[in-house]
Amino acid sequence: MVSPRCILAFALIVSLCSPTIFADEAPKAKPAMPPAKDLLTQKEMPDPLTFADGRKVATPEQWRLRREEMKAILEEYEYGHMPPAPGNVKGQETSAKDLDGSKTRYRAVHLSFGPEEKLGFDVSVFTPQETETIKAPFPTIVHLSFMGGEKSAWEYGPALRRGYALVTINYQQLAADNANYRKSPFFQAYPDYDWRDISAWAWGTSRAIDYVESNPLFDKSKIVVVGLSRLAQAALLVGAFDDRVAMTAAVGGGCSFRFCGKGRGGKQGVDELNAQNTFWFGPRFTEFTGLTDKLPCDQHWLLALAAPRAFIVINGLDDQYCQANAAAQSYLHAKPVYEFLGVTDRLGVDFRPGKHGMYAPDWETVLDFADLQLLNKGAKRKFDQIPPTDQLR
């Protein structure tokens, strides 16, 4: 009898041509990966440095192969498959004005792309006033947001004062965040792909990055992606799959599934997510209801896939959705990859008192970490501090 591990390893090796954000062709037929019930039970966190066939990653070249294997697993079982990059993103400025006594320039920009350039969404662009020390091209934060538009300017003052530009996306332009998600234009334009909301939010964010790359206002080597809660899940996916992202910040998201949910520390785990919002994750994710330990991956893989680029996990100690210990476990189990690549300082974690949300201290953490990682400014604090176990609840 062939073991489940051998079946999975064979299927994964064949599936490495599975499309990612950067794929340039439609998905090819491939053997189906085994159903969740036939996968190995893994109570421990799946090791990102071990291939599906049991081989250990020993060289950077092998890590590159392992990354592709991991991405194929994540697409198959957790997120679904995203379409290729359309390659035709255009930005059209529709309005502009000065804000905050001319200290900030606001632009509304419409992006168009896709088949016959019929897809699109609006982004809000905020750039700081240029000075002797703050000049274009600016390091740029792409913020997948619950708001967007000029009204979101209040949130960005600290970043603008430090010299960062911001490109803000109202996430519901990308996917509706409800059970009628298939009516969103992205899904109608690419009906042969089995993606859902988180993948659509991630894919759309990468289209905003296409625009950032093409505009001389922005420093394309210093792109930061930020998201909160379910948008942190999308930011995780962008940071893992889009190598143009220099730094990812996931706020209140990215908790390891093996350490959250009923009987696993509480709050939202696999069972809870599948009971509440089946339109967030890919179609096969529901197979793992009641079978969390069958997952061949976990959320620490997304942090690991970003290496050697920068990544920080930010969480409230009293977050009512994201289990603090589960966030800490994502950090701890991704850390060996950063150590293997010799970039331990590029993985960060930060815990603050308080509940779910993105507050001023979280923005300060994002900016301090970005200053350190992208602008070579001295660290104001450490980013490797995990609170005592009794505080991680």
Side-chain angles (χ1 to χ4, degrees):
M1 180 177 177
V2 179
S3 72
R5 181 181 289 278
C6 291
I7 295 171
L8 177 59
F10 174 75
L12 293 175
I13 291 167
V14 175
S15 71
L16 292 183
C17 63
S18 174
T20 67
I21 287 175
F22 294 114
D24 56 5
E25 57 186 25
K28 297 179 175 64
K30 60 182 185 298
M33 294 191 193
K37 63 182 180 61
D38 292 341
L39 297 176
L40 294 173
T41 296
Q42 299 182 68
K43 292 188 179 296
E44 301 296 325
M45 295 277 272
D47 183 6
L49 292 173
T50 300
F51 284 96
D53 63 5
R55 289 177 298 130
K56 299 291 185 181
V57 173
T59 66
E61 291 74 20
Q62 289 179 348
W63 167 241
R64 284 191 283 272
L65 292 173
R66 173 60 172 157
R67 284 186 81 240
E68 296 308 310
E69 185 178 68
M70 291 165 66
K71 288 193 287 185
I73 294 170
L74 286 162
E75 285 186 307
E76 182 70 19
Y77 288 115
E78 196 168 332
Y79 294 106
H81 299 82
M82 292 171 278
N88 62 344
V89 174
K90 296 178 182 177
Q92 177 66 46
E93 188 174 301
T94 57
S95 66
K97 63 169 70 174
D98 289 329
L99 305 174
D100 191 25
S102 299
K103 292 181 181 178
T104 301
R105 185 68 171 170
Y106 164 75
R107 300 170 177 85
V109 178
H110 181 73
L111 305 185
S112 59
F113 52 87
E116 301 179 15
E117 298 183 5
K118 290 184 177 180
L119 296 179
F121 58 89
D122 299 319
V123 295
S124 300
V125 177
F126 302 87
T127 52
Q129 183 181 49
E130 294 199 48
T131 66
E132 289 186 4
T133 57
I134 298 175
K135 296 182 183 296
F138 305 107
T140 300
I141 297 171
V142 179
H143 183 204
L144 185 58
S145 171
F146 292 98
M147 293 194 306
E150 182 183 342
K151 64 183 179 182
S152 59
W154 65 270
E155 192 172 9
Y156 301 138
L160 291 160
R161 287 191 290 273
R162 295 202 199 191
Y164 290 87
L166 293 109
V167 175
T168 306
I169 310 162
N170 183 318
Y171 82 115
Q172 285 187 300
Q173 294 185 93
L174 312 181
D177 196 10
N178 60 49
N180 294 321
Y181 71 96
R182 279 284 173 192
K183 293 183 178 179
S184 298
F186 284 8
F187 300 107
Q188 294 182 2
Y190 298 98
D192 296 331
Y193 291 82
D194 62 348
W195 53 331
R196 291 186 179 172
D197 274 5
I198 290 175
S199 296
W201 299 332
W203 189 82
T205 301
S206 280
R207 305 293 67 81
I209 293 172
D210 292 343
Y211 162 71
V212 167
E213 274 205 311
S214 70
N215 192 313
L217 279 172
F218 311 117
D219 186 339
K220 64 183 181 182
S221 71
K222 296 179 175 64
I223 297 172
V224 180
V225 170
V226 178
L228 163 69
S229 190
R230 55 190 176 276
L231 306 187
Q233 295 285 356
L236 284 162
L237 192 56
V238 180
F241 278 60
D242 194 329
D243 293 342
R244 299 171 298 177
V245 177
M247 176 185 140
T248 306
V251 184
C255 301
S256 293
F257 293 129
R258 283 168 170 80
F259 291 88
C260 54
K262 186 176 180 180
R264 296 174 178 272
K267 305 182 183 179
Q268 284 188 333
V270 172
D271 294 2
E272 290 78 12
L273 288 168
N274 282 333
Q276 296 163 10
N277 300 301
T278 57
F279 48 86
W280 284 355
F281 289 86
R284 299 200 64 179
F285 191 62
T286 55
E287 294 180 27
F288 295 93
T289 299
L291 298 173
T292 296
D293 290 336
K294 293 280 190 178
L295 271 169
C297 52
D298 213 318
Q299 299 308 82
H300 67 301
W301 276 23
L302 295 150
L303 283 64
L305 284 168
R309 295 169 288 119
F311 202 112
I312 187 164
V313 179
I314 301 170
N315 213 80
L317 289 171
D318 298 308
D319 191 310
Q320 61 269 42
Y321 303 112
C322 190
Q323 223 281 347
N325 180 55
Q329 295 300 326
S330 285
Y331 164 79
L332 290 170
H333 285 85
K335 194 172 181 179
V337 173
Y338 286 79
E339 293 172 343
F340 173 75
L341 296 174
V343 290
T344 308
D345 62 329
R346 292 186 190 169
L347 179 63
V349 67
D350 184 83
F351 290 93
R352 57 155 172 81
K355 294 187 178 295
H356 194 70
M358 187 162 186
Y359 304 104
D362 301 318
W363 275 111
E364 184 178 3
T365 297
V366 170
L367 296 171
D368 286 350
F369 196 64
D371 281 354
L372 173 67
Q373 298 294 333
L374 306 183
L375 305 185
N376 297 316
K377 294 184 178 180
K380 298 180 180 180
R381 51 181 155 148
K382 294 182 178 180
F383 295 100
D384 60 355
Q385 302 300 295
I386 296 178
T389 302
D390 62 355
Q391 295 182 30
L392 296 173
R393 55 186 186 274

